[in-house]
Amino acid sequence: MILNLETLASLPEDIRKPRYDRSDLSAGIVHIGLGNFHRAHQAWYLHRLMDEGHAHDWAIIGAGVRPQDAAQRERLLAQDCLTTLIELDPSGKSAEVTGSMVGFVPVLHDNSALIAQMADPKIRIVSMTVTEGGYYQTATGALDMMHADIQHDAACPKKPQTAFGAIIAALKLRREAGELPFACQSCDNLQGNGDILRETIVGIAKLSDPDLAEWIDENATFPNSMVDCIVPATGPTELALARSFGVEDTAPVSHENFRQWVIEDKFCAGRPDWDLVGATFTDDVHSYEAMKLRLLNAGHQIIATPGELLSVDTIAEAMAEPLIRDLFLKIETDEIVPHVAAVPGMEPLDYVDLISGRFANPEIHDTIRRVAFDGSSRHVGFLHPIIRDALAADAPIEGLALVEAQWARMCAGTREDGSVIEPNDPFWDSLTERGLAAKTDPSAWLAQDSFYGELSQDLRFRESFSRWLRMIWEKGTKAAIEDYLNS
């Protein structure tokens, strides 16, 4: 049955449906970046809160700033912005339809429709999932003021190209109308994501309107948060899964049977009571996000990088490979856990056990390619901070250096069976050039200052990285992993 509001009540009984009347909902949130993760995570929390009779004035309006977002808009509007979520529990699959999203802003080159929607005083939160690499950061974490997109938005603030420029333009309209600002909420995997979003918004605003930048800094809020749920990309398998439940959904989302959302309670214009359906409000988001980013997100790269080189298809299949599983467990236990603090109810080693089970879930077809995507952001954001801390503490780094060497080998563009790795990073061409040069000169890889910064000057890291990379090229990834595990 084709999914839309007319067919909703007639869907098979085993599909959980919204318990609220969609006609009772009104918008309070604009979310930029309507990918799978948002619909399986933030939109789900709001949907379940609405099921409990709350937050009916907090519905989501979707938005995007990339040309490809227009296709997603067409798909979702065709089914009245309903989404089929399929939970992939090893004990059995289940499906539910969520309805917390009620519209999608037209995707225009000048972002005028998005700006107008965010300028509406009924919108009290603007949230986003634009990926870790979407915040225009340099290797040191500063805003890249010289990036062409930033320069454009500074020169043409009324016709911005970026989501951040659009937010600034909308806040300017609200200020001119005497309205209060909205809260700006990042839902991306960045430590201190709210702080980074504030620095990005205020930094760009200063380039064209310092007075507006000061008003935003003093009046808008940017709550930090930690988000967690494994959500594979949608392909033929997921489309077929939806049909197996009796629903024709052109944009279904599959996900694991785990979610976590930890949020700093800093919302200048109010917020839904997400804590009533399992979210956590706390003043110490940092500890939660440090545990998750360092153990789960860094752990994903520890698995995906050798997995790509050894032609493994999914994360679960990689965890079924003893060498990769043991590599993951040793690096996590010996080289990352010592740099992670406990949070209420969870010790770091217990968290390693938790994510090991999640990664090994055979029902989750989470591809190595998806997890390895954008390594230039993920290695820099997830692994490099741990390496810096370990070096400062004179702690072990051999496994982490091995993973960096595997990344350099991966970016050379071929797997060990000779097959070609298709471009999988915004900087793929330059990474491939460096990866090939590093085959004979490992320092060519570390000379990428925008990624490694001062790490490239650390003698212990350089020597370890170079030794592993030479071994990988001479003896192969498996031999290098075995050498590390036996050390």
Side-chain angles (χ1 to χ4, degrees), residues 26-32 34 38 42-43 46 50 55 57-63 100-103 105 117-118 122-128 182-183 185 187 261 267 270-272 274:
S26 58
I29 299 172
V30 168
H31 186 87
I32 303 171
L34 258 295
H38 166 73
Q42 298 96 45
L46 185 60
M50 290 172 167
D57 60 342
W58 283 102
I60 297 165
I61 300 289
S100 55
M101 180 181 171
V102 296
V105 178
Q117 182 68 69
M118 293 188 294
K122 294 178 183 177
I123 299 302
R124 287 151 286 163
I125 295 174
V126 171
S127 55
M128 62 174 61
F182 44 75
Q185 184 180 24
C187 299
W261 196 9
F267 292 84
R271 59 157 174 81
W274 288 301

mmCIF file of all heavy atoms in Angstrom, residues 26-32 34 38 42-43 46 50 55 57-63 100-103 105 117-118 122-128 182-183 185 187 261 267 270-272 274:
data_model
loop_
_atom_site.group_PDB
_atom_site.id
_atom_site.type_symbol
_atom_site.label_atom_id
_atom_site.label_comp_id
_atom_site.label_asym_id
_atom_site.label_seq_id
_atom_site.Cartn_x
_atom_site.Cartn_y
_atom_site.Cartn_z
ATOM 1 N N SER A 26 1.118 21.755 14.505
ATOM 2 C CA SER A 26 1.622 22.993 13.915
ATOM 3 C C SER A 26 3.133 23.023 14.099
ATOM 4 O O SER A 26 3.681 22.422 15.023
ATOM 5 C CB SER A 26 0.984 24.221 14.553
ATOM 6 O OG SER A 26 1.216 24.266 15.953
ATOM 7 N N ALA A 27 3.808 23.731 13.216
ATOM 8 C CA ALA A 27 5.272 23.685 13.175
ATOM 9 C C ALA A 27 5.908 24.559 14.250
ATOM 10 O O ALA A 27 5.460 25.672 14.514
ATOM 11 C CB ALA A 27 5.769 24.109 11.804
ATOM 12 N N GLY A 28 6.980 24.026 14.855
ATOM 13 C CA GLY A 28 7.784 24.800 15.794
ATOM 14 C C GLY A 28 9.273 24.640 15.550
ATOM 15 O O GLY A 28 10.084 25.353 16.134
ATOM 16 N N ILE A 29 9.641 23.669 14.673
ATOM 17 C CA ILE A 29 11.045 23.349 14.405
ATOM 18 C C ILE A 29 11.273 23.327 12.895
ATOM 19 O O ILE A 29 10.469 22.762 12.147
ATOM 20 C CB ILE A 29 11.427 21.975 14.986
ATOM 21 C CG1 ILE A 29 11.242 21.950 16.508
ATOM 22 C CG2 ILE A 29 12.859 21.594 14.619
ATOM 23 C CD1 ILE A 29 11.423 20.575 17.128
ATOM 24 N N VAL A 30 12.365 23.935 12.461
ATOM 25 C CA VAL A 30 12.887 23.721 11.108
ATOM 26 C C VAL A 30 14.133 22.871 11.258
ATOM 27 O O VAL A 30 15.028 23.198 12.048
ATOM 28 C CB VAL A 30 13.220 25.043 10.395
ATOM 29 C CG1 VAL A 30 14.031 24.780 9.134
ATOM 30 C CG2 VAL A 30 11.950 25.797 10.048
ATOM 31 N N HIS A 31 14.185 21.766 10.511
ATOM 32 C CA HIS A 31 15.392 20.925 10.544
ATOM 33 C C HIS A 31 16.038 20.916 9.181
ATOM 34 O O HIS A 31 15.415 20.564 8.173
ATOM 35 C CB HIS A 31 15.077 19.491 10.970
ATOM 36 C CG HIS A 31 16.326 18.679 11.140
ATOM 37 N ND1 HIS A 31 17.028 18.640 12.327
ATOM 38 C CD2 HIS A 31 17.050 17.926 10.265
ATOM 39 C CE1 HIS A 31 18.097 17.892 12.183
ATOM 40 N NE2 HIS A 31 18.143 17.453 10.933
ATOM 41 N N ILE A 32 17.318 21.273 9.149
ATOM 42 C CA ILE A 32 18.093 21.331 7.916
ATOM 43 C C ILE A 32 18.920 20.056 7.800
ATOM 44 O O ILE A 32 19.727 19.749 8.675
ATOM 45 C CB ILE A 32 19.015 22.558 7.907
ATOM 46 C CG1 ILE A 32 18.195 23.841 8.087
ATOM 47 C CG2 ILE A 32 19.828 22.619 6.616
ATOM 48 C CD1 ILE A 32 19.036 25.088 8.310
ATOM 49 N N LEU A 34 17.597 16.599 5.946
ATOM 50 C CA LEU A 34 16.611 15.545 6.201
ATOM 51 C C LEU A 34 17.114 14.189 5.716
ATOM 52 O O LEU A 34 16.534 13.567 4.836
ATOM 53 C CB LEU A 34 15.293 15.892 5.514
ATOM 54 C CG LEU A 34 14.200 16.443 6.429
ATOM 55 C CD1 LEU A 34 13.748 15.392 7.438
ATOM 56 C CD2 LEU A 34 14.661 17.689 7.153
ATOM 57 N N HIS A 38 18.339 11.811 11.020
ATOM 58 C CA HIS A 38 17.364 12.695 11.668
ATOM 59 C C HIS A 38 16.005 12.027 11.803
ATOM 60 O O HIS A 38 15.356 12.094 12.855
ATOM 61 C CB HIS A 38 17.208 13.994 10.876
ATOM 62 C CG HIS A 38 16.011 14.785 11.283
ATOM 63 N ND1 HIS A 38 15.945 15.480 12.470
ATOM 64 C CD2 HIS A 38 14.806 14.964 10.681
ATOM 65 C CE1 HIS A 38 14.769 16.064 12.577
ATOM 66 N NE2 HIS A 38 14.059 15.764 11.506
ATOM 67 N N GLN A 42 15.978 12.232 16.002
ATOM 68 C CA GLN A 42 15.286 13.387 16.570
ATOM 69 C C GLN A 42 13.792 13.388 16.238
ATOM 70 O O GLN A 42 12.950 13.652 17.102
ATOM 71 C CB GLN A 42 15.921 14.692 16.088
ATOM 72 C CG GLN A 42 17.362 14.871 16.496
ATOM 73 C CD GLN A 42 18.315 14.426 15.386
ATOM 74 O OE1 GLN A 42 18.134 14.749 14.212
ATOM 75 N NE2 GLN A 42 19.340 13.686 15.747
ATOM 76 N N ALA A 43 13.470 13.094 14.966
ATOM 77 C CA ALA A 43 12.064 13.098 14.575
ATOM 78 C C ALA A 43 11.286 11.996 15.291
ATOM 79 O O ALA A 43 10.095 12.150 15.591
ATOM 80 C CB ALA A 43 11.936 12.936 13.059
ATOM 81 N N LEU A 46 10.395 13.130 18.887
ATOM 82 C CA LEU A 46 9.265 14.054 18.850
ATOM 83 C C LEU A 46 7.969 13.320 18.537
ATOM 84 O O LEU A 46 6.918 13.588 19.147
ATOM 85 C CB LEU A 46 9.539 15.145 17.812
ATOM 86 C CG LEU A 46 8.502 16.267 17.741
ATOM 87 C CD1 LEU A 46 8.383 16.991 19.074
ATOM 88 C CD2 LEU A 46 8.885 17.258 16.633
ATOM 89 N N MET A 50 4.653 13.225 20.821
ATOM 90 C CA MET A 50 3.325 13.569 20.306
ATOM 91 C C MET A 50 2.324 12.458 20.579
ATOM 92 O O MET A 50 1.148 12.709 20.868
ATOM 93 C CB MET A 50 3.405 13.868 18.805
ATOM 94 C CG MET A 50 4.130 15.157 18.481
ATOM 95 S SD MET A 50 4.394 15.348 16.697
ATOM 96 C CE MET A 50 4.894 17.080 16.616
ATOM 97 N N ALA A 55 3.476 18.318 22.844
ATOM 98 C CA ALA A 55 4.312 18.929 21.797
ATOM 99 C C ALA A 55 3.646 18.998 20.424
ATOM 100 O O ALA A 55 4.339 18.984 19.401
ATOM 101 C CB ALA A 55 5.652 18.175 21.692
ATOM 102 N N ASP A 57 2.517 21.468 19.024
ATOM 103 C CA ASP A 57 2.878 22.724 18.369
ATOM 104 C C ASP A 57 4.384 22.786 18.075
ATOM 105 O O ASP A 57 4.939 23.862 17.866
ATOM 106 C CB ASP A 57 2.460 23.922 19.220
ATOM 107 C CG ASP A 57 3.111 23.929 20.597
ATOM 108 O OD1 ASP A 57 3.597 22.865 21.035
ATOM 109 O OD2 ASP A 57 3.116 24.991 21.251
ATOM 110 N N TRP A 58 5.025 21.620 18.034
ATOM 111 C CA TRP A 58 6.455 21.546 17.774
ATOM 112 C C TRP A 58 6.781 20.712 16.535
ATOM 113 O O TRP A 58 7.897 20.214 16.397
ATOM 114 C CB TRP A 58 7.192 20.937 18.974
ATOM 115 C CG TRP A 58 7.368 21.878 20.120
ATOM 116 C CD1 TRP A 58 6.652 21.921 21.276
ATOM 117 C CD2 TRP A 58 8.342 22.924 20.219
ATOM 118 N NE1 TRP A 58 7.104 22.921 22.092
ATOM 119 C CE2 TRP A 58 8.155 23.552 21.474
ATOM 120 C CE3 TRP A 58 9.357 23.383 19.388
ATOM 121 C CZ2 TRP A 58 8.932 24.620 21.901
ATOM 122 C CZ3 TRP A 58 10.133 24.454 19.811
ATOM 123 C CH2 TRP A 58 9.920 25.059 21.053
ATOM 124 N N ALA A 59 5.863 20.560 15.615
ATOM 125 C CA ALA A 59 6.108 19.721 14.438
ATOM 126 C C ALA A 59 7.279 20.269 13.614
ATOM 127 O O ALA A 59 7.656 21.443 13.715
ATOM 128 C CB ALA A 59 4.854 19.632 13.583
ATOM 129 N N ILE A 60 7.836 19.393 12.791
ATOM 130 C CA ILE A 60 9.065 19.696 12.039
ATOM 131 C C ILE A 60 8.742 20.096 10.603
ATOM 132 O O ILE A 60 7.942 19.442 9.923
ATOM 133 C CB ILE A 60 9.987 18.469 12.022
ATOM 134 C CG1 ILE A 60 10.428 18.108 13.447
ATOM 135 C CG2 ILE A 60 11.199 18.708 11.119
ATOM 136 C CD1 ILE A 60 11.031 16.717 13.556
ATOM 137 N N ILE A 61 9.395 21.162 10.156
ATOM 138 C CA ILE A 61 9.436 21.515 8.737
ATOM 139 C C ILE A 61 10.834 21.160 8.238
ATOM 140 O O ILE A 61 11.841 21.634 8.772
ATOM 141 C CB ILE A 61 9.181 23.018 8.510
ATOM 142 C CG1 ILE A 61 7.809 23.431 9.043
ATOM 143 C CG2 ILE A 61 9.318 23.358 7.022
ATOM 144 C CD1 ILE A 61 6.649 22.909 8.234
ATOM 145 N N GLY A 62 10.918 20.313 7.221
ATOM 146 C CA GLY A 62 12.208 19.920 6.682
ATOM 147 C C GLY A 62 12.794 20.980 5.778
ATOM 148 O O GLY A 62 12.076 21.830 5.232
ATOM 149 N N ALA A 63 14.113 20.933 5.623
ATOM 150 C CA ALA A 63 14.792 21.896 4.757
ATOM 151 C C ALA A 63 16.117 21.317 4.292
ATOM 152 O O ALA A 63 16.667 20.397 4.906
ATOM 153 C CB ALA A 63 15.028 23.214 5.495
ATOM 154 N N SER A 100 5.860 13.194 12.731
ATOM 155 C CA SER A 100 6.180 14.465 13.385
ATOM 156 C C SER A 100 6.639 15.544 12.417
ATOM 157 O O SER A 100 6.730 16.714 12.780
ATOM 158 C CB SER A 100 7.259 14.240 14.451
ATOM 159 O OG SER A 100 8.394 13.608 13.893
ATOM 160 N N MET A 101 6.916 15.161 11.176
ATOM 161 C CA MET A 101 7.291 16.132 10.149
ATOM 162 C C MET A 101 6.070 16.464 9.303
ATOM 163 O O MET A 101 5.346 15.555 8.862
ATOM 164 C CB MET A 101 8.401 15.547 9.274
ATOM 165 C CG MET A 101 8.873 16.452 8.165
ATOM 166 S SD MET A 101 10.163 15.618 7.186
ATOM 167 C CE MET A 101 10.322 16.771 5.831
ATOM 168 N N VAL A 102 5.809 17.758 9.065
ATOM 169 C CA VAL A 102 4.569 18.156 8.392
ATOM 170 C C VAL A 102 4.792 18.960 7.116
ATOM 171 O O VAL A 102 3.816 19.326 6.455
ATOM 172 C CB VAL A 102 3.664 18.956 9.353
ATOM 173 C CG1 VAL A 102 3.226 18.083 10.523
ATOM 174 C CG2 VAL A 102 4.361 20.223 9.856
ATOM 175 N N GLY A 103 6.036 19.225 6.754
ATOM 176 C CA GLY A 103 6.276 19.990 5.541
ATOM 177 C C GLY A 103 7.745 20.008 5.173
ATOM 178 O O GLY A 103 8.592 19.541 5.930
ATOM 179 N N VAL A 105 10.460 22.775 3.089
ATOM 180 C CA VAL A 105 10.657 24.058 2.425
ATOM 181 C C VAL A 105 11.205 23.847 1.015
ATOM 182 O O VAL A 105 12.071 22.984 0.805
ATOM 183 C CB VAL A 105 11.650 24.915 3.246
ATOM 184 C CG1 VAL A 105 11.923 26.244 2.550
ATOM 185 C CG2 VAL A 105 11.113 25.155 4.646
ATOM 186 N N GLN A 117 10.931 30.892 6.106
ATOM 187 C CA GLN A 117 10.340 29.948 7.062
ATOM 188 C C GLN A 117 10.960 30.126 8.445
ATOM 189 O O GLN A 117 10.263 30.132 9.460
ATOM 190 C CB GLN A 117 10.560 28.522 6.571
ATOM 191 C CG GLN A 117 9.957 27.449 7.461
ATOM 192 C CD GLN A 117 8.438 27.466 7.469
ATOM 193 O OE1 GLN A 117 7.791 27.132 6.480
ATOM 194 N NE2 GLN A 117 7.856 27.889 8.583
ATOM 195 N N MET A 118 12.284 30.262 8.514
ATOM 196 C CA MET A 118 12.941 30.420 9.806
ATOM 197 C C MET A 118 12.645 31.774 10.442
ATOM 198 O O MET A 118 12.719 31.922 11.673
ATOM 199 C CB MET A 118 14.455 30.232 9.652
ATOM 200 C CG MET A 118 14.864 28.821 9.270
ATOM 201 S SD MET A 118 16.663 28.543 9.301
ATOM 202 C CE MET A 118 17.215 29.611 7.971
ATOM 203 N N LYS A 122 6.840 31.634 14.832
ATOM 204 C CA LYS A 122 6.359 30.356 15.358
ATOM 205 C C LYS A 122 7.471 29.307 15.415
ATOM 206 O O LYS A 122 7.358 28.323 16.149
ATOM 207 C CB LYS A 122 5.203 29.837 14.494
ATOM 208 C CG LYS A 122 3.950 30.704 14.552
ATOM 209 C CD LYS A 122 2.867 30.158 13.638
ATOM 210 C CE LYS A 122 1.638 31.068 13.636
ATOM 211 N NZ LYS A 122 0.600 30.561 12.688
ATOM 212 N N ILE A 123 8.520 29.528 14.628
ATOM 213 C CA ILE A 123 9.668 28.616 14.651
ATOM 214 C C ILE A 123 10.558 28.998 15.832
ATOM 215 O O ILE A 123 11.084 30.100 15.902
ATOM 216 C CB ILE A 123 10.462 28.680 13.333
ATOM 217 C CG1 ILE A 123 9.574 28.251 12.165
ATOM 218 C CG2 ILE A 123 11.710 27.797 13.423
ATOM 219 C CD1 ILE A 123 8.989 26.851 12.286
ATOM 220 N N ARG A 124 10.723 28.049 16.753
ATOM 221 C CA ARG A 124 11.470 28.332 17.980
ATOM 222 C C ARG A 124 12.771 27.553 18.088
ATOM 223 O O ARG A 124 13.615 27.836 18.938
ATOM 224 C CB ARG A 124 10.576 28.036 19.187
ATOM 225 C CG ARG A 124 9.476 29.077 19.391
ATOM 226 C CD ARG A 124 8.246 28.480 20.046
ATOM 227 N NE ARG A 124 7.493 27.651 19.119
ATOM 228 C CZ ARG A 124 6.571 26.762 19.499
ATOM 229 N NH1 ARG A 124 6.321 26.564 20.783
ATOM 230 N NH2 ARG A 124 5.917 26.061 18.590
ATOM 231 N N ILE A 125 12.954 26.569 17.220
ATOM 232 C CA ILE A 125 14.206 25.824 17.148
ATOM 233 C C ILE A 125 14.544 25.609 15.678
ATOM 234 O O ILE A 125 13.674 25.229 14.884
ATOM 235 C CB ILE A 125 14.107 24.449 17.844
ATOM 236 C CG1 ILE A 125 13.869 24.599 19.353
ATOM 237 C CG2 ILE A 125 15.373 23.622 17.596
ATOM 238 C CD1 ILE A 125 13.607 23.271 20.058
ATOM 239 N N VAL A 126 15.784 25.867 15.319
ATOM 240 C CA VAL A 126 16.310 25.457 14.014
ATOM 241 C C VAL A 126 17.418 24.447 14.307
ATOM 242 O O VAL A 126 18.429 24.769 14.935
ATOM 243 C CB VAL A 126 16.852 26.636 13.204
ATOM 244 C CG1 VAL A 126 17.592 26.127 11.960
ATOM 245 C CG2 VAL A 126 15.724 27.568 12.800
ATOM 246 N N SER A 127 17.194 23.214 13.890
ATOM 247 C CA SER A 127 18.161 22.142 14.149
ATOM 248 C C SER A 127 18.770 21.686 12.832
ATOM 249 O O SER A 127 18.269 22.015 11.748
ATOM 250 C CB SER A 127 17.490 20.970 14.877
ATOM 251 O OG SER A 127 16.355 20.504 14.157
ATOM 252 N N MET A 128 19.855 20.932 12.925
ATOM 253 C CA MET A 128 20.521 20.512 11.694
ATOM 254 C C MET A 128 21.334 19.245 11.885
ATOM 255 O O MET A 128 21.851 18.974 12.971
ATOM 256 C CB MET A 128 21.430 21.621 11.175
ATOM 257 C CG MET A 128 22.560 22.015 12.102
ATOM 258 S SD MET A 128 23.684 23.213 11.310
ATOM 259 C CE MET A 128 22.566 24.562 11.017
ATOM 260 N N PHE A 182 15.506 32.244 17.574
ATOM 261 C CA PHE A 182 15.267 30.826 17.839
ATOM 262 C C PHE A 182 16.545 30.208 18.385
ATOM 263 O O PHE A 182 17.634 30.777 18.266
ATOM 264 C CB PHE A 182 14.824 30.094 16.571
ATOM 265 C CG PHE A 182 15.603 30.431 15.337
ATOM 266 C CD1 PHE A 182 16.893 29.949 15.133
ATOM 267 C CD2 PHE A 182 15.054 31.243 14.346
ATOM 268 C CE1 PHE A 182 17.620 30.257 13.996
ATOM 269 C CE2 PHE A 182 15.778 31.569 13.196
ATOM 270 C CZ PHE A 182 17.053 31.073 13.023
ATOM 271 N N ALA A 183 16.415 29.040 19.001
ATOM 272 C CA ALA A 183 17.589 28.276 19.414
ATOM 273 C C ALA A 183 18.151 27.545 18.198
ATOM 274 O O ALA A 183 17.401 27.073 17.338
ATOM 275 C CB ALA A 183 17.225 27.268 20.498
ATOM 276 N N GLN A 185 20.283 24.346 17.054
ATOM 277 C CA GLN A 185 20.618 23.052 17.657
ATOM 278 C C GLN A 185 21.321 22.151 16.649
ATOM 279 O O GLN A 185 20.711 21.663 15.700
ATOM 280 C CB GLN A 185 19.345 22.366 18.176
ATOM 281 C CG GLN A 185 19.600 21.058 18.895
ATOM 282 C CD GLN A 185 18.309 20.415 19.392
ATOM 283 O OE1 GLN A 185 17.228 20.657 18.871
ATOM 284 N NE2 GLN A 185 18.438 19.586 20.410
ATOM 285 N N CYS A 187 22.826 18.610 15.639
ATOM 286 C CA CYS A 187 22.637 17.194 15.974
ATOM 287 C C CYS A 187 23.704 16.343 15.291
ATOM 288 O O CYS A 187 23.483 15.154 15.023
ATOM 289 C CB CYS A 187 21.238 16.739 15.569
ATOM 290 S SG CYS A 187 19.898 17.638 16.398
ATOM 291 N N TRP A 261 20.039 10.216 23.272
ATOM 292 C CA TRP A 261 20.083 11.648 22.973
ATOM 293 C C TRP A 261 20.298 12.369 24.292
ATOM 294 O O TRP A 261 19.452 12.312 25.190
ATOM 295 C CB TRP A 261 18.780 12.092 22.318
ATOM 296 C CG TRP A 261 18.847 13.430 21.637
ATOM 297 C CD1 TRP A 261 19.947 14.189 21.403
ATOM 298 C CD2 TRP A 261 17.740 14.137 21.069
ATOM 299 N NE1 TRP A 261 19.618 15.341 20.725
ATOM 300 C CE2 TRP A 261 18.268 15.336 20.510
ATOM 301 C CE3 TRP A 261 16.376 13.890 20.978
ATOM 302 C CZ2 TRP A 261 17.452 16.274 19.870
ATOM 303 C CZ3 TRP A 261 15.568 14.826 20.348
ATOM 304 C CH2 TRP A 261 16.091 16.002 19.799
ATOM 305 N N PHE A 267 17.598 26.460 25.683
ATOM 306 C CA PHE A 267 16.714 26.784 24.567
ATOM 307 C C PHE A 267 16.041 28.126 24.856
ATOM 308 O O PHE A 267 15.200 28.241 25.741
ATOM 309 C CB PHE A 267 15.674 25.680 24.375
ATOM 310 C CG PHE A 267 16.267 24.382 23.885
ATOM 311 C CD1 PHE A 267 16.816 23.472 24.785
ATOM 312 C CD2 PHE A 267 16.298 24.085 22.537
ATOM 313 C CE1 PHE A 267 17.374 22.287 24.341
ATOM 314 C CE2 PHE A 267 16.855 22.896 22.089
ATOM 315 C CZ PHE A 267 17.396 21.995 22.986
ATOM 316 N N GLY A 270 12.055 28.044 24.318
ATOM 317 C CA GLY A 270 11.313 26.864 24.724
ATOM 318 C C GLY A 270 11.747 25.634 23.951
ATOM 319 O O GLY A 270 12.531 25.708 23.000
ATOM 320 N N ARG A 271 11.205 24.477 24.368
ATOM 321 C CA ARG A 271 11.576 23.205 23.734
ATOM 322 C C ARG A 271 10.535 22.151 24.061
ATOM 323 O O ARG A 271 9.794 22.256 25.036
ATOM 324 C CB ARG A 271 12.929 22.741 24.263
ATOM 325 C CG ARG A 271 12.945 22.554 25.786
ATOM 326 C CD ARG A 271 14.027 21.618 26.235
ATOM 327 N NE ARG A 271 14.138 21.531 27.688
ATOM 328 C CZ ARG A 271 13.354 20.774 28.469
ATOM 329 N NH1 ARG A 271 12.368 20.071 27.941
ATOM 330 N NH2 ARG A 271 13.546 20.738 29.781
ATOM 331 N N PRO A 272 10.471 21.083 23.274
ATOM 332 C CA PRO A 272 9.640 19.931 23.635
ATOM 333 C C PRO A 272 10.240 19.213 24.847
ATOM 334 O O PRO A 272 11.445 19.277 25.095
ATOM 335 C CB PRO A 272 9.700 19.041 22.393
ATOM 336 C CG PRO A 272 10.150 19.930 21.285
ATOM 337 C CD PRO A 272 11.056 20.935 21.929
ATOM 338 N N TRP A 274 11.442 16.324 25.504
ATOM 339 C CA TRP A 274 11.948 15.067 24.958
ATOM 340 C C TRP A 274 12.322 14.069 26.051
ATOM 341 O O TRP A 274 12.359 12.869 25.809
ATOM 342 C CB TRP A 274 13.178 15.331 24.082
ATOM 343 C CG TRP A 274 12.900 15.987 22.776
ATOM 344 C CD1 TRP A 274 12.099 15.533 21.773
ATOM 345 C CD2 TRP A 274 13.456 17.222 22.309
ATOM 346 N NE1 TRP A 274 12.114 16.402 20.709
ATOM 347 C CE2 TRP A 274 12.941 17.445 21.004
ATOM 348 C CE3 TRP A 274 14.345 18.148 22.853
ATOM 349 C CZ2 TRP A 274 13.284 18.570 20.254
ATOM 350 C CZ3 TRP A 274 14.686 19.269 22.103
ATOM 351 C CH2 TRP A 274 14.157 19.469 20.817
#
